[in-house]
Each structure stands twice: as structure tokens, then as C-alpha cells.
Amino acid sequence: MSNNNPIGVFDSGVGGLTVAKEIMRQLPNEKIIYLGDNARCPYGPRPMEEIKQYTWEMVRFLLQKNIKMLIIACNTATAAALDELKDQLDIPVIGVIYPGARAAIEESRNLHIGVIGTVGAIASGAYENALTNIHSGVKVTSLACPKFVPIVESGEWGSPIAERVVKEGLAPLKGTGIDTLVLGCTHYPFLEKVISKELGLGVSIISSGEETARDASTILQFNEMQSPNKSAPSHEFYTTGSRRMFNRIAVELFGTEIDNIERIQTSED
Amino acid sequence: MSNNNPIGVFDSGVGGLTVAKEIMRQLPNEKIIYLGDNARCPYGPRPMEEIKQYTWEMVRFLLQKNIKMLIIACNTATAAALDELKDQLDIPVIGVIYPGARAAIEESRNLHIGVIGTVGAIASGAYENALTNIHSGVKVTSLACPKFVPIVESGEWGSPIAERVVKEGLAPLKGTGIDTLVLGCTHYPFLEKVISKELGLGVSIISSGEETARDASTILQFNEMQSPNKSAPSHEFYTTGSRRMFNRIAVELFGTEIDNIERIQTSED
């Protein structure tokens, strides 16, 4: 058995492109339909009900594209809507929280794990729940870093401002004794070098993007849904926001422009 | 939803204990029922039909223990019987080949991956198939190392003999340009230090045990089958061979004796 339909990847903005990039690297035969709700990004500070409503709206768009699997490549949307989506859809749905939690437990030796994320994701306690559900002996230190996403969405992750914001944002983690840090937001891998420099070699960094791609691979194979395609698929990209801005970030990430970015409207346009 | 039933782990001998150890580390709430067919180990040189027959016999024993998931912690048995078991059992069945392949693709940067295993596992081409199924651009260099399992089963992995056998066994891999090596046999992690020393820092070593535990975690959570148990479960161990020998190796691996090893009979006793 196999399945040639695409994988749907949804994020509140461009952060999910780090998941898409890893899917392209680890599962190069799989076609991706990407949708970023850039017009309404960031989701982090929004009320739970609004995040759910936006997520469902975006997911309905992806379902029309006949996707075989849905990846919620946004920690905030995962915390808000994953359980509901899993219950109600008849395709596999993967969020970014459990893959990151699983990888952190695999990596950590002292079982003291740090998690950084948006205000919404951290306040939901979703990572802490995932980590302690898998391993009741884990100690978790969580920290909201609300200034990180705007830095990425504005394309400033290589600037001196980024270094200052990261330094200030991570200060509460210094001296806590964590040996592993989960980047609990798919935007943060853009800042990974700066974060890693700030925390030093003693702290392993877990990128939920890489780990989510790995879990997608596991679930596809377990369900015998891998693509039989051996030629490079042509991916499709959609955004509710500016195509120019989207492409600027895609170029930084993929090293090349994306030709086929289409702008779609939200219920609020 | 959750499920308190145990996970069944089967190996032709003690190699699968490296998978069990990783399950204990990554999923400490899960109870394990381990069965090693030590009396008929190694499976590697046996004909395919015989490996299938032995595997089914061992699996039937584990099914009587009301397991919720089956892990075939033996590369040879995975290559021979995984597809059949997946088809015919109504619980999730995980082999050790795909988890190792997936991790190798995640790890490798030059996509030239080495695989070592028993004669049977290598001859079956199972790793090569798994790797190229996931990623058609991967180059695979495979090598059978038939002398490695006997060294481990006899408890000699720390001896000078082990160093010599590993050096000679791995010689054909020198200069091939692989940047990642899959230990395609669950016995080989016992030899990991010696293998790693022999190949040097430029080659990342992937232990299928660690990666299989990670995939088990993914599948359990995806199917909402994690144990709700928060106290340490008491695992059960069975062998078709010598309990003394089994315990000698368990002590080396776990740092403590296993009290409850029970000897069971095969159809050939």
C-alpha cells in the first residue's frame, strides 16, 4: 500500500517552513501543501477560542486539497486544537509538541528539560503535560519568550537586535541546570544559532521541526501511506498575508525563491 | 484513552535487551515482557522459513501475555517476518529496521549510509529497501559481520578479541565515505564503543535500539495507548536458553541482576 496524496502543513506564519524544510530533507518523495496564516500571526497572544477558530478555518482549506496527513506546525495551534482535530478528522494529525518532547527525553541525561515558547503555548502547559505524560520523572522549566516570533516574522533573526532580545529573553534559564532545551515554537529554529551561543555547549537544543518530520515519517510508514513517487514533487505554498514577505523568508531558509506562492483570503478579509 | 497492558519485546537472544533498556529510559511507565530465544540464537544464518516459524512461535507466547504492542527487536526476524506479523496481528507491530533507517536519514549529511548486520539481515536487502523507500537519493553500503553476535552472546564484548574481530570485520568500510553507520543488529550496541573507536569521529553511529524505543513512543502516543501508570512497572523476562547466561549479560547492561527470568521451552525441547 502507498498513497500519493500530499501532506498538509499549517502554521500561523512562516515558522512551519522549518518543518516543511525537514520533511523535504527526510521525506523527499512527499509532496507538501503549506499554508501560513501570516495575516493573523502571531497566534500566541490570542484567546484559545480564536486560535481554535482560525486553525479550523485553515485546516478546512487544506482538507480541500485532498491531504493524506495533517501537520499542525505551530505549537500554539497544537496546544489549542490538536485533540479536537485528531478526534474529528479521519486522516493522521500530528502536532509539534509530542515530537519535541519525545526527542528531549531521548536526548536529556539529567532529565531537567527547558522549554521556551509563546505566551499561549507556555500558559497552556502543553509541553509540561506531554513531557510528564511520557516520563513522570522529568523536571521541566518553562519560559515564555513573546519577543522572539516578531523578530523572525520581520526577517531580523541575524541582526544585533536578535542577539540582544535572545540574551534578555533567555536570562531566566541561566543557572537552572537544564541540559536540554526544546524550541517550543517553530519560529525559533531561525534563532537557533543565537540561542545555542547564549546557552553554551552544555545545553542540547531540540528543534521541533526536525523531530516532527521524523515522527511524520514514522506514522506514514506505520500506516503504509508513504508516497511511491521517486521524482521530486512540486510543493504548493499558500499564505493569508504578503507573498513578498513570505518569499523573503523562504529565500533565507531554502536558498531559493518559491515561484508558486498563492495568497488566499481569511474569513476576515 | 490509555492502556496499561505491557509491551512485548522479542529477540533471538540478548540483543533486544538494548531495546528494552531504551524503552525503560524513554518510556519508564511502560511494562515490558521480554522474550529471548537464546536456545536457537543466532537467527542470522538460518533459512528464512525457519526464522519465520521460530518468530511466530515466540510471538504466540507473548500474545498470551496480553501485550498491547509487539516489538520485533531483532533485525533478522524483522526482515523475515515483520510484514506478515503486521498483516495478521491486530496490535501495533514495530520492527527495528525502519526506526534505524529513519534516524540515519535524519543524521546523515552526505546521504552515504553504511549498514552492518547479520548475513541474513544484509542478504535480505531490508535496510537498503527501507532507506531507499524513505529517500530515493540515499547511497547505501552494506556489510555482513557474522562474527559480532557470537562475541556478544558469549559476553566477550570488552575483550581484546572483540577489538580484533571488530577491526577485521569493519575493514571493508574504511575509505568508503559513509558519514553514518546503522548498527543493523540489536546485539551490536554492546560493541558500540569499539566500533566507534574503529571508525573515528567522522562517522555517526545509529543504534536501532534507541531509535526503536523512540518510534514505539510515537506509535503509542499516536494511538493513545500510553500507560497511565506513574509507578515503576515490574518487567518480566523469559528465555528459551540458560538463565545464568542471560543474567550475566543483563547485569552488564542494567548494572543489576534480574530476579524474575523464567526459562520456557521451544517446540524443539
Side-chain angles (χ1 to χ4, degrees), chain B residues 104-182:
Chain B
I105 287 169
E106 188 181 355
E107 181 68 24
S108 176
R109 299 293 139 170
N110 72 4
L111 289 179
H112 186 177
I113 294 169
V115 180
I116 55 173
T118 63
V119 171
I122 295 299
S124 75
Y127 264 101
E128 220 159 321
N129 288 343
L131 285 161
T132 53
N133 265 345
I134 302 173
H135 195 315
S136 46
V138 166
K139 184 176 170 195
V140 186
T141 299
S142 304
L143 179 67
C145 297
K147 291 182 179 169
F148 289 12
V149 170
I151 292 263
V152 173
E153 287 283 329
S154 60
E156 304 259 26
W157 61 83
S159 73
I161 301 168
E163 276 198 42
R164 190 170 48 76
V165 166
V166 166
K167 197 182 177 67
E168 286 173 14
L170 297 182
L173 289 180
K174 287 288 182 83
T176 53
I178 58 165
D179 75 347
T180 305
L181 178 72
V182 181

Side-chain angles (χ1 to χ4, degrees), chain A residues 34-185:
Chain A
Y34 187 93
L35 172 56
D37 194 4
N38 299 65
R40 301 186 292 198
C41 183
Y43 278 14
R46 295 182 188 274
M48 204 63 132
E49 277 313 306
E50 195 171 59
I51 299 168
K52 275 192 198 177
Q53 182 208 319
Y54 289 0
T55 301
W56 271 105
E57 192 185 324
M58 298 293 109
V59 166
R60 271 182 219 110
F61 174 86
L62 287 169
L63 291 174
Q64 285 165 17
K65 301 284 177 187
N66 211 13
I67 55 173
K68 65 179 171 186
M69 169 183 263
L70 172 65
I71 297 180
I72 306 297
C74 169
N75 286 267
T76 308
T78 298
L82 180 69
D83 288 345
E84 240 180 66
L85 290 163
K86 278 190 76 162
D87 276 354
Q88 293 183 38
L89 302 187
D90 54 6
I91 54 171
V93 184
I94 298 182
V96 276
I97 290 174
Y98 266 91
R102 228 182 317 277
I105 286 169
E106 189 181 356
E107 181 67 25
S108 176
R109 297 296 139 170
N110 72 4
L111 289 179
H112 186 178
I113 293 170
V115 181
I116 55 173
T118 64
V119 171
I122 296 299
S124 75
Y127 263 102
E128 219 160 323
N129 288 342
L131 286 161
T132 53
N133 266 345
I134 302 173
H135 195 315
S136 46
V138 165
K139 185 177 169 193
V140 186
T141 299
S142 304
L143 179 67
C145 297
K147 292 183 179 169
F148 288 12
V149 170
I151 293 262
V152 173
E153 287 284 329
S154 60
E156 305 257 28
W157 62 83
S159 73
I161 303 169
E163 276 200 42
R164 191 170 48 77
V165 165
V166 167
K167 197 182 177 67
E168 287 172 12
L170 296 182
L173 290 180
K174 287 288 183 80
T176 54
I178 57 166
D179 76 346
T180 305
L181 178 72
V182 181
L183 305 184
C185 174

